[in-house]
Each structure stands twice: as structure tokens, then as C-alpha cells.
Amino acid sequence: MSTVITSAEALRAVQLLASRPLVRLVTEIDDNGPIPPRRLAATLPDLSTHQVRTASETARAHGLIQIVPGAGLELTQTGLELADLYDEMARWARRHGIPAPVCEFSSRIRYVLGLLAPSLTGERVDSPTPPGGVEDEAGLARPQRLLLQWLADNPQVAGVSEPEPVA
């Protein structure tokens, strides 16, 4: 099945998936297991309270995390699949030493999503040759295919806006 995604939906999906707080939340839970809601700020000390709250609300609204009584926030199947997608993107970026040979995990994810964004709207995407390196023969084909499949399986990510802050 092929899902058509509009330019606006593609931009919304990439902005959401590239959100540093969301990347941090999803990967922290994936790497270390459920987080009690009261421990979120301490678990993600590099994020402001607002960023942690917004990432948590956004992840719940898009079906990436759920609250499990007695355990805390844990990834749903969709969230686990997103964590796998993030890992694949980070591996590709690390192999190519981009955006820098040494950088934060979320920076790699954001960079790869930036490269893939045009392909979501039908624009041509050429895999860059990494500085001082040889281009991967598969280029961005695998991360692109995985992203498109994940978006097709999770259309709510492109179609649902972020939750409004509670007054």
C-alpha cells in the first residue's frame, strides 16, 4: 500500500520527528526502560521542564509512549519502531561522520531527517559524499525506505498537530 503525503504533512512529520526533546525522550526510554513521570526531569536534565512536558505530551498524543501503572512512561510498539528508525539513521550518519565525526545522537537524527525531508514530497534526494569519505553505495535508500514505511504505518504523525498547551 502506498500512502500519499502532502508537503505540509511531510514538513510537520519531519519537524515532529526531529524535535530534540522527542528524540531524547524516545531514545532514553528505549535504552533504559520505563521512566516514572516524576523522574522525567531528572532523567533528562539537559532539557527544560517545558521541553520535557511538551515532548511527553506530544509523544502520548502521537501514540509513541503510554503510561503504565507501576512502571511509568514506556514506548508503545509505534515508539519502539521509531526508536529503531532513529538507530538506523544514527548508524548511517555515524558511518559518514556527519554532521560531524563526534556529535550528539539527536544531532545525527536531525541531520538525516533534514536530508530525507525533500524525498517525502517527491523532490530528488542525493546522498551527500561525506567529507573525506567515500559515499555509501546504498546512500540514503535504506533510511529513506524505513522512514517512508514508518510514516505510512503511522499517518497520525503527519496529520495530527502537536497538542496545545494547557492554560
Side-chain angles (χ1 to χ4, degrees):
M1 180 174 113
S2 176
T3 300
V4 176
I5 186 168
T6 68
S7 295
E9 289 170 334
L11 179 60
R12 205 169 25 250
V14 167
Q15 287 175 335
L16 174 78
L17 297 177
S19 162
R20 183 176 176 275
L22 183 68
V23 172
R24 289 278 294 116
L25 177 64
V26 168
T27 56
E28 183 67 33
I29 295 171
D30 184 50
D31 291 346
N32 299 304
I35 302 172
R38 294 184 191 271
R39 297 284 308 149
L40 268 177
T43 303
L44 303 168
D46 55 317
L47 301 177
S48 71
T49 303
H50 174 73
Q51 289 174 315
V52 170
R53 184 176 43 253
T54 300
S56 174
E57 291 169 358
T58 299
R60 283 201 332 254
H62 289 87
L64 303 174
I65 63 171
Q66 61 190 356
I67 298 176
V68 176
L73 298 175
E74 71 176 26
L75 295 176
T76 61
Q77 185 59 40
T78 299
L80 288 167
E81 291 165 2
L82 178 59
D84 291 343
L85 177 60
Y86 283 161
D87 286 341
E88 179 65 31
M89 290 178 188
R91 275 192 298 277
W92 185 90
R94 199 172 25 257
R95 262 194 314 273
H96 294 293
I98 53 178
V102 177
C103 67
E104 185 180 69
F105 182 86
S106 62
S107 296
R108 293 189 194 283
I109 302 306
R110 296 172 63 127
Y111 187 87
V112 172
L113 282 168
L115 291 175
L116 292 174
S119 71
L120 299 178
T121 59
E123 296 175 31
R124 182 179 160 89
V125 175
D126 292 318
S127 175
T129 300
V134 176
E135 185 172 347
D136 180 26
E137 64 183 5
L140 280 168
R142 180 170 166 75
Q144 178 188 36
R145 186 178 68 252
L146 293 172
L147 175 61
L148 289 170
Q149 183 61 55
W150 190 87
L151 289 171
D153 292 344
N154 300 285
Q156 77 279 4
V157 172
V160 179
S161 61
E162 291 188 35
E164 293 295 319
V166 178

